[in-house]
Amino acid sequence: MNNLVSECLKAFSKRQKMLLFVLMLLTVALGLIYPLLLSSDPRSVLDISREYRPGELSDEDVIAPADFSYIDVAATSDDVELAARSVLPHFAYSIAASIEIRNRAEAFTAAVADGTLSSFVENEGLNDIENVAGRLSSLEESDRMMLTSLISEGIRDLVNEGIYSSDDISNVVAGGYRYIEVEESDIPFSNAGKQIAVSDLADQDDLYHKVLAKGSRLYPDLEAIYIDLVSDAVLLLSGPNVFYDSVLTTALREDAAASVPPVLVEIHRGDYILQRDTVVTDQQLRTIQRIYDSSLVTIPVLKVIGYLVYLVLFTCMLVYLLFFYIKYRYRLSLYTTIFLIGIDLSLTAAFFISRYLPLYGINYIDPFFPFIVMPAFAASITRKRRVGFAVALTLAGFAVLYPSSRLFTFFYLIGSIEICLMLTRFGNERMDIIYQTVFSAIAVAFVTALVSFIYDQSFQLIFTSSIVAVLNVVFTFIVISIVLPIIEKIFNIPTAFRLHELSFTDTPTLNRLMQVAPGTFNHSKNVSEMAYEACKAIHANADLARVGALYHDIGKSEHPEYFIENQNGKNAHDEINKTLSAAIIKSHVKLGVEKAKEIGLPQEVIDIISEHHGNDLIKYFYNEAVREAKESRSGGMVSEEDFRYNGRIPSTEESAVVMLADCTEAATRTMKNPNHQKYDKFISLIIIDKMNHKQLNNSELTINDLEKIKESFIHYLLGRDHQRIEYDKE
């Protein structure tokens, strides 16, 4: 693992390494910050256009994004206060005060009989401002005794019904109560245990008028002056005997408040919190505030650290997988940069989607997450589904940290992306795009519906989620269709479409090759077809092999007469020494690379041009040089290095296939009466020779691959060299 990373990093310049490090940090930072912002931002839970006040009309519909419940403290407090106020002021009957009033009334009666009424008033300290004693003493005895009896009876009735303190009644009225409650009592008290209206109570301030009204009602024949005297006497002798019991009232109110259950507000997802054109209530505003408050969650430091380590591991895993799967080292920096930026853009899009989904009553992100764009783009640009899956794994790992993700989010994303990648065709026809879009949309819709069944969602939500998933897929391939040509043009990447364009032979470079070196041109076309079919057989990049083979000999257009396929009888090498001949032959590789760079061919194609001869020996001229050296008198030594190609040995399957196709196509031209057996043996010798000279060591071709390549070559050559019947001349 360390060796792989070290080897790959060698392909990075210092600036590219710095860029890679910065992008990895940015990806980790965004992967951490976005979920934390969503977890702590109230608007990600509920977004309201403005601040409302109670009594205003709502300008919008606000829908609960999820099931939610809370204890409404304000409503509970109101209920507690209401329960406490429901307990009426409690009054208690005073036995001592009642006895004192009765004793005073008896003493009054005795004083009237004894004629000592004035002394009685003075001794009792009564404030006889109405001169009750004088008025009563001035009456005849019979009238005096009658009125005394009425006075005693009135006092007895009042004591039995209760006489209340004026201050207590004033406090009751000031407290907003219209009724009081009198305690139960074992003594004979007519109003014990009853609720009595305040207006029916006899208090000190209103006692005179109540006695006067009662006397007038009970004794309509009695003179008004006598009734007035009785009322004044009762008022003089009476006093409060029922008092407010603040201790009992407070205790009862506390018990009532304690018995009130807390107000639990339950809201279900989809319920209206506010409705347009309806009056906003305190309760609704408290609910909104509580949702905001509950979303402002303080995330523990250890959890943040855990998130950070998790994201670092996923990001490093992505970079490692890219190093492992991308064989063109010079593309590593470019691809890694593009993919990391794409992941950052996907995470940013997911953040804003998660931010505003709750406004529409949706609290899950699964089908809305732009999860297919980057994996499909990565697979398309590298022609490797494994690279797309590595990107998908990273995105799914990051997505599960979002608050709106669910239990199956990771598996939903991985499953959906894998299906889309498996249905991806690395073709160059428009029908291929339509095919993968339609079938990917159907497959993802099915997966979405299946996951929705697991979550036991309503059919409406299942339908909505499936439609969104389909639109997600369609949007993905539209974006890829637009962005891919731009990226391939800017960075000269050999995508399927780019290779398809280059595979046309009607280009200035190939047209010139056809004109000045027709033999080489026909040879290149044959090699391209052989390489194409062979790469298809071993599941390599057939389009790349075809283009590389078409352009592999473009360097021969400079000196076409020195290559046998372009000669017509006369051999230009007969007039020069063999070392120079070898130098001219070798030069076509270097010239081909230079021309390829001039016309802007992708580096992958240039590699095939550079490697199609490897560092193999130019055997014909080497053997001729050795023969001439032996025949000469000097007996000079012949250096193999002068007769070896200066290129690298093939580093990819495609480059190795082009090398084998080039050798096979040229060598089999000289075969007489070819058949399957002869081709099999001859091509096997060519492959063995390349293996013996270590030309295939870096190509990653297996024995099974070589066998498939040989069979593909034989099939093509049998078609190329098929026999025709000889037609009559007449």
Side-chain angles (χ1 to χ4, degrees):
M1 180 175 177
N2 291 333
N3 292 336
L4 174 64
V5 174
S6 300
E7 179 187 346
C8 291
L9 286 176
K10 289 179 182 177
F12 286 64
S13 65
K14 186 176 181 180
R15 181 177 296 179
Q16 289 172 337
K17 290 178 183 177
M18 180 62 68
L19 178 62
L20 173 64
F21 180 71
V22 170
L23 286 176
M24 290 178 67
L25 282 181
L26 177 62
T27 302
V28 171
L30 294 181
L32 177 65
I33 292 171
Y34 285 153
L36 296 183
L37 287 177
L38 290 172
S39 298
S40 60
D41 183 8
R43 294 191 64 189
S44 65
V45 179
L46 198 66
D47 194 11
I48 300 178
S49 62
R50 67 181 182 88
E51 184 176 350
Y52 289 97
R53 294 181 179 179
E56 293 181 338
L57 289 179
S58 174
D59 300 333
E60 59 198 317
D61 289 332
V62 178
I63 299 174
D67 293 342
F68 185 80
S69 63
Y70 69 97
I71 302 298
D72 191 334
V73 177
T76 302
S77 177
D78 291 343
D79 286 356
V80 167
E81 183 178 351
L82 183 62
R85 284 193 57 80
S86 66
V87 176
L88 298 175
H90 275 57
F91 283 73
Y93 183 81
S94 174
I95 298 175
S98 299
I99 292 173
E100 181 182 353
I101 294 171
R102 287 194 179 99
N103 290 339
R104 188 183 302 122
E106 291 176 359
F108 176 80
T109 301
V112 171
D114 295 341
T116 59
L117 191 57
S118 298
S119 299
F120 167 79
V121 170
E122 185 178 349
N123 292 336
E124 290 290 330
L126 299 176
N127 186 16
D128 189 10
I129 59 176
E130 299 296 338
N131 192 25
V132 172
R135 290 159 59 194
L136 192 60
S137 298
S138 65
L139 297 177
E140 294 181 2
E141 183 177 358
S142 60
D143 291 338
R144 189 169 56 248
M145 296 307 295
M146 177 193 68
L147 291 179
T148 302
S149 176
L150 291 177
I151 291 170
S152 297
E153 181 182 349
I155 291 175
R156 185 173 60 252
D157 291 343
L158 284 173
V159 170
N160 185 48
E161 292 178 3
I163 304 172
Y164 298 82
S165 167
S166 298
D167 292 338
D168 288 346
I169 299 303
S170 296
N171 292 332
V172 168
V173 173
Y177 291 97
R178 298 173 61 188
Y179 290 86
I180 67 164
E181 187 166 342
V182 182
E183 287 184 61
E184 291 283 353
S185 177
D186 294 334
I187 62 175
F189 178 48
S190 60
N191 290 326
K194 294 181 180 180
Q195 291 185 6
I196 308 172
V198 173
S199 59
D200 295 336
L201 298 179
D203 61 39
Q204 290 173 297
D205 292 342
D206 199 37
L207 189 60
Y208 169 78
H209 299 289
K210 287 186 178 296
V211 174
L212 185 64
K214 185 176 181 180
S216 300
R217 184 178 68 255
L218 294 177
Y219 308 105
D221 297 332
L222 192 63
E223 292 182 18
I225 192 173
Y226 291 157
I227 294 176
D228 181 64
L229 178 59
V230 170
S231 299
D232 287 337
V234 168
L235 180 62
L236 178 67
L237 299 173
S238 299
N241 68 330
V242 182
F243 299 94
Y244 174 60
D245 192 338
S246 60
V247 175
L248 177 61
T249 302
T250 301
L252 291 174
R253 287 177 175 171
E254 289 177 353
D255 291 343
S259 66
V260 175
V263 177
L264 178 65
V265 179
E266 292 187 352
I267 300 170
H268 300 285
R269 183 169 55 84
D271 290 349
Y272 282 97
I273 298 178
L274 295 180
Q275 281 188 285
R276 185 185 299 272
D277 298 329
T278 60
V279 177
V280 178
T281 65
D282 283 325
Q283 172 74 52
Q284 291 170 329
L285 295 180
R286 286 197 298 269
T287 299
I288 292 170
Q289 187 61 48
R290 188 56 185 249
I291 292 176
Y292 279 4
D293 293 342
S294 66
S295 65
L296 295 170
V297 180
T298 302
I299 302 176
V301 175
L302 290 179
K303 188 174 183 179
V304 174
I305 294 173
Y307 276 10
L308 183 62
V309 174
Y310 170 85
L311 293 169
V312 168
L313 290 177
F314 258 86
T315 305
C316 292
M317 177 196 67
L318 170 65
V319 174
Y320 176 78
L321 290 176
L322 294 180
F323 285 0
F324 186 80
Y325 289 138
I326 299 174
K327 58 187 176 184
Y328 298 108
R329 299 305 184 207
Y330 49 80
R331 294 288 187 190
L332 268 177
S333 175
L334 173 63
Y335 286 158
T336 306
T337 299
I338 291 174
F339 299 157
L340 286 175
I341 291 175
I343 289 173
D344 294 343
L345 292 176
S346 298
L347 294 175
T348 302
F351 168 74
F352 285 105
I353 291 171
S354 298
R355 175 89 158 60
Y356 290 104
L357 277 179
L359 302 182
Y360 303 96
I362 301 171
N363 62 338
Y364 58 93
I365 195 175
D366 298 9
F368 298 88
F369 193 93
F371 56 89
I372 307 175
V373 177
M374 275 314 299
F377 180 80
S380 298
I381 203 172
T382 62
R383 293 179 65 95
K384 287 186 177 293
R385 294 183 177 89
R386 290 174 294 180
V387 174
F389 184 76
V391 175
L393 194 64
T394 306
L395 278 176
F398 279 42
V400 297
L401 299 184
Y402 281 59
S404 51
S405 65
R406 300 181 292 182
L407 178 63
F408 287 93
T409 295
F410 181 84
F411 303 101
Y412 168 77
L413 296 179
I414 289 296
S416 299
I417 296 171
E418 182 64 16
I419 290 173
C420 291
L421 293 177
M422 294 303 296
L423 292 171
T424 298
R425 288 186 173 185
F426 303 118
N428 45 48
E429 297 180 1
R430 284 172 292 186
M431 284 303 298
D432 291 330
I433 299 177
I434 296 175
Y435 164 86
Q436 62 193 38
T437 301
V438 171
F439 285 94
S440 296
I442 294 173
V444 172
F446 175 78
V447 174
T448 303
L450 183 63
V451 173
S452 298
F453 287 142
I454 294 175
Y455 286 119
D456 193 25
Q457 292 180 325
S458 66
F459 281 101
Q460 181 180 359
L461 281 178
I462 293 173
F463 178 77
T464 302
S465 299
S466 300
I467 292 298
V468 169
V470 169
L471 294 176
N472 200 338
V473 173
V474 173
F475 170 78
T476 292
F477 288 107
I478 290 175
V479 170
I480 291 176
S481 298
I482 296 173
V483 174
L484 189 59
I486 299 174
I487 297 296
E488 73 178 25
K489 186 68 175 178
I490 294 174
F491 300 106
N492 199 16
I493 297 172
T495 63
F497 297 97
R498 173 78 168 134
L499 292 173
H500 182 63
E501 294 171 0
L502 292 173
S503 66
F504 288 106
T505 58
D506 189 19
T507 63
T509 301
L510 294 180
N511 278 335
R512 182 171 185 274
L513 183 64
M514 180 177 63
Q515 292 170 3
V516 302
T520 299
F521 177 76
N522 289 323
H523 162 73
S524 297
K525 286 203 303 180
N526 290 328
V527 172
S528 72
E529 293 303 318
M530 292 173 66
Y532 179 78
E533 296 298 331
C535 283
K536 282 175 61 178
I538 63 172
H539 303 292
N541 191 340
D543 291 326
L544 177 60
R546 169 187 275 169
V547 174
L550 272 177
Y551 287 87
H552 81 284
D553 274 344
I554 58 174
K556 291 182 179 181
S557 62
E558 292 300 314
H559 305 288
E561 69 276 8
Y562 286 96
F563 299 92
I564 191 169
E565 67 267 20
N566 301 313
Q567 295 173 355
N568 293 315
K570 184 180 179 181
N571 191 339
H573 292 284
D574 293 341
E575 301 176 359
I576 59 177
N577 65 49
K578 299 304 179 278
T579 303
L580 181 56
S581 294
I584 294 173
I585 296 298
K586 289 193 295 183
S587 68
H588 86 276
V589 176
K590 181 180 179 183
L591 291 172
V593 170
E594 292 174 354
K595 285 183 177 295
K597 290 180 179 179
E598 287 177 8
I599 63 177
L601 291 180
Q603 184 61 46
E604 289 82 351
V605 177
I606 296 175
D607 286 346
I608 292 177
I609 297 173
S610 174
E611 297 171 358
H612 79 276
H613 282 299
N615 58 9
D616 209 356
L617 188 66
I618 307 174
K619 293 181 182 178
Y620 176 79
F621 291 109
Y622 175 74
N623 291 334
E624 286 294 311
V626 171
R627 183 181 59 78
E628 289 179 356
K630 289 181 179 179
E631 292 177 355
S632 67
R633 295 180 180 179
S634 62
M637 298 295 294
V638 179
S639 172
E640 280 194 8
E641 292 303 317
D642 294 335
F643 293 88
R644 284 192 179 277
Y645 287 99
N646 298 322
R648 301 187 309 249
I649 64 174
S651 58
T652 63
E653 297 168 324
E654 296 81 12
S655 186
V657 168
V658 171
M659 169 187 275
L660 294 174
D662 182 34
C663 294
T664 301
E665 203 281 333
T668 55
R669 289 280 183 182
T670 62
M671 290 184 65
K672 296 180 180 180
N673 300 320
N675 56 38
H676 189 285
Q677 185 177 1
K678 287 184 178 181
Y679 280 139
D680 189 308
K681 183 177 180 180
F682 192 80
I683 296 172
S684 295
L685 291 175
I686 292 175
I687 293 174
I688 292 171
D689 180 68
K690 296 299 181 185
M691 293 176 66
N692 289 338
H693 287 85
K694 300 180 181 180
Q695 299 300 299
L696 305 180
N697 283 10
N698 294 342
S699 66
E700 298 182 359
L701 290 175
T702 65
I703 298 300
N704 187 45
D705 290 337
L706 292 172
E707 189 64 29
K708 291 179 180 179
I709 292 169
K710 181 179 69 173
E711 290 299 324
S712 175
F713 286 173
I714 293 172
H715 179 76
Y716 179 83
L717 293 172
L718 288 173
R720 184 197 68 177
D721 299 331
H722 70 281
Q723 300 295 320
R724 291 182 179 270
I725 63 172
E726 186 175 351
Y727 291 94
D728 293 335
K729 295 181 180 179
E730 296 182 359

